[in-house]
Amino acid sequence: MLKFWRNAEFVRHVRAELRPARAVTVAVVALFVCGLIWLSCWSFVQQDLENARNGFQRYGGEQWMARVAMLEKTAFHQTWLLFFQWVFAIQGVMVTLWSLFACAQSVSGERDRKTWDFQRATSLTSSELLVGKLIGEPILTYFLVLCLLPFTVVGGLVGGISFGGLVSAYLLMLVGSLFLGVCGLFLSTLLESGSRGITLLVGLAMYFLTAGSMGMANSGFPGVAAFSPLSGIIGLYSPNEPVFRRLPTLFGQPVPWLLLSVLLWVTFGSWIVLMLVRNLKRDYEEIRPLSRWQAVGCAAFLNFVLYAMVNPGRFGEAGSHELMSLMIGVNGLILFVIGLATLTPQERLRVWWRKRATGAGAMFSEDGLPWPWLALSAITAYALIVWGTLAWNKALPFEMKSLERAAVQLLVVLVFITRDVLFLQWCKLTHMSRPVFKGLMYLSLYYAAAVVLTVLFGRGSETNAMRVLSLLTPIGAANPEAEGFRFPASLYMGIALQAGAIAAIVAAIGGRMNRRLLAVASGD
């Protein structure tokens, strides 16, 4: 698999994208643009020098004379440094953006062309198919970077950047483009044919979200900003920037931005690669990104990484209380994504239900309902909350009431997420096209209705508004006045109400399963 140049899928893309005429055209255009950029940089530096000379002739003085002397001395180096910065920035944006978009349209594009089944039927393994597409789809941009590489290296060295800095910058570009390519390829496997427009929109949102994570540098988890390639580049070439003057931390120890970016991309990319290897050659209806145990492990991994990147100095006086509440919200999102990743395909669920009717189907089964695994993930998350608060106890002191409050909050989140995931599982048993997408639309409509009812019943009474929110949404768990287990009675009523809804959905799933079994039996 490491000899990707012998990979049949990679060779196919090279032959298609790098035909001699196209390759020569791309190289000539790239060199022409490169020359224009150098002339623009030279013109800018010369204009700056000319302005300084005019200032010296007009005003005189040692300050203007020193400025002219400094610019004359550094003009040559400044020209090449500015040239390197522009060309490297263009290369970075092109290779990361095109890698994401090309891979995001890879599988969905093959489905549109009705050629995906032919590729799955080849002797290539999922790993080989993954490597071939990941490196082959954006091969044209890699070739473009290779054409400009000698000029950017010369520009960087003449401009005063060390060789090690250049190697680090291009390593960051390469790993970042591979990570975004893996994300795009995974996105492409999740979308059916005819969804290329949605793929482009989601891919663009993913790109800006990754780049925008740089804004987390001033948050309680500053290391999250390392997801953005800009963080590593700015931290490498502009270490005196106010935002990046202070390094992120792992378990309280400072870590360079470049190292943390590569570490995050490799670890998170490994999970996505695991999902792709599991599902790349499966039928669309059989896709399940992770096994149930892998999903629990992924939830634990995400919690562990966040606690490792905590900067206790960024939290207020509430300390651990604020950290716990934030982690509860994050775990709500994690549990929902884990629930989506573990939805059982219809046929597998029917087989499990048939075994369960005979007493052979275990509750914690790979093909059973997802709610036991959600509960196990929530228990793991709470155990890590306890571990995290104890690990940061010296910097963020806490009381036992904080853990009690976190337990109630996580229970509320778990109940609502379980209800929503089971509803999506029920949707997969219907005859709806794109059942998960439509199920998500129905859930959005439900929460919109909950907001309207909250506004309607809460007119003139904030208490009534909180009661409706507690009954219909998990927002009531964020009550800042609650201590320990002392939440309003409406919150516990909401838990009981949603537990009843869960039981009703499970019964509806069971009814569909039983009707299917009866239909099969009568057909026999």
Side-chain angles (χ1 to χ4, degrees), residues 252-367:
Q253 301 299 318
V255 180
W257 286 102
L258 174 64
L259 177 60
L260 187 56
S261 292
V262 173
L263 185 62
L264 289 177
W265 290 337
V266 170
T267 52
F268 278 79
S270 299
W271 281 102
I272 301 175
V273 167
L274 173 63
M275 299 178 196
L276 285 169
V277 171
R278 276 177 48 86
N279 297 280
L280 201 54
K281 300 191 74 170
R282 287 184 176 180
D283 292 332
Y284 183 79
E285 296 76 13
E286 291 292 318
I287 289 178
R288 275 197 300 177
L290 294 171
S291 70
R292 299 294 172 80
W293 282 112
Q294 288 170 349
V296 175
C298 185
F301 165 77
L302 294 174
N303 278 272
F304 178 80
V305 169
L306 287 176
Y307 281 116
M309 293 192 295
V310 165
N311 185 349
R314 302 291 174 88
F315 289 93
E317 297 180 357
S320 61
H321 178 78
E322 184 178 347
L323 175 61
M324 288 183 190
S325 297
L326 182 60
M327 289 304 298
I328 294 296
V330 171
N331 274 287
L333 177 61
I334 292 174
L335 288 175
F336 187 70
V337 174
I338 291 300
L340 289 178
T342 55
L343 290 175
T344 309
Q346 186 174 156
E347 294 302 325
R348 290 180 178 270
L349 185 61
R350 285 172 178 168
V351 172
W352 174 81
W353 193 267
R354 189 180 302 114
K355 292 180 179 179
R356 180 179 175 273
T358 60
M363 180 180 296
F364 287 92
S365 170
E366 286 290 330
D367 299 327

Side-chain angles (χ1 to χ4, degrees), residues 101-178:
F101 279 178
C103 291
Q105 299 182 75
S106 177
V107 177
S108 58
E110 297 291 349
R111 289 194 179 114
D112 286 342
R113 294 188 291 269
K114 310 297 183 183
T115 57
W116 180 232
D117 288 335
F118 293 103
Q119 293 191 16
R120 291 194 304 147
T122 63
S123 60
L124 291 174
T125 64
S126 296
S127 300
E128 292 170 337
L129 200 57
L130 166 63
V131 171
K133 288 188 173 297
L134 179 62
I135 305 177
E137 289 284 355
I139 189 62
L140 192 60
T141 55
Y142 288 137
F143 174 74
L144 181 62
V145 171
L146 191 62
C147 291
L148 298 179
L149 184 61
F151 301 96
T152 51
V153 169
V154 170
L157 293 176
V158 175
I161 297 175
S162 66
F163 183 76
L166 291 173
V167 172
S168 300
Y170 276 99
L171 174 65
L172 191 70
M173 181 193 296
L174 175 62
V175 180
S177 64
L178 291 176

Side-chain angles (χ1 to χ4, degrees), residues 31 70 205 220 259 298 412 419 425 512:
L31 295 178
M70 186 269 293
L259 177 60
C298 185
V412 172
R419 183 206 64 184
Q425 182 67 75
R512 282 190 171 273

Side-chain angles (χ1 to χ4, degrees), residues 474-491:
I475 298 178
N479 190 337
E481 300 178 358
E483 293 184 0
F485 296 122
R486 297 179 180 177
F487 281 84
S490 57
L491 183 73

